[in-house]
Amino acid sequence: MLKKALIIGIVLFVILRIPSLFENLHDNDEAIYTVIGMVLNRGGLLYRDIWENKPPLFYIFYQFADIF
């Protein structure tokens, strides 16, 4: 019974993930966050040099992600 449920779960997971194989590498939000992180790393100031209507924590995360 557990094997059957596991196999069904894996098959369902694979079927639901198939559309993601044909999407862009980044969706629009990720690309915007990455650009904002790059501007912050180059000395720009959030909400003065670059603007997006989201809380600053998103941008700080992508600022550190741009370093790596």
Side-chain angles (χ1 to χ4, degrees):
M1 184 68 176
L2 182 61
K3 248 185 186 179
K4 187 175 181 181
L6 183 62
I7 291 172
I8 290 172
I10 291 171
V11 169
L12 185 62
F13 176 80
V14 170
I15 289 172
L16 291 174
R17 294 294 297 169
I18 287 174
S20 69
L21 299 174
F22 303 104
E23 293 177 357
N24 292 335
L25 184 59
H26 294 289
D27 67 359
N28 291 335
D29 283 341
E30 288 176 348
I32 290 169
Y33 299 157
T34 302
V35 169
I36 291 174
M38 290 167 48
V39 169
L40 293 174
N41 281 337
R42 288 169 180 76
L45 292 176
L46 187 59
Y47 302 114
R48 187 193 75 182
D49 298 323
I50 194 154
W51 183 267
E52 174 71 16
N53 293 326
K54 301 241 184 330
L57 186 60
F58 289 112
Y59 308 125
I60 293 169
F61 173 76
Y62 277 92
Q63 177 183 7
F64 288 117
D66 182 52
I67 293 172
F68 302 109

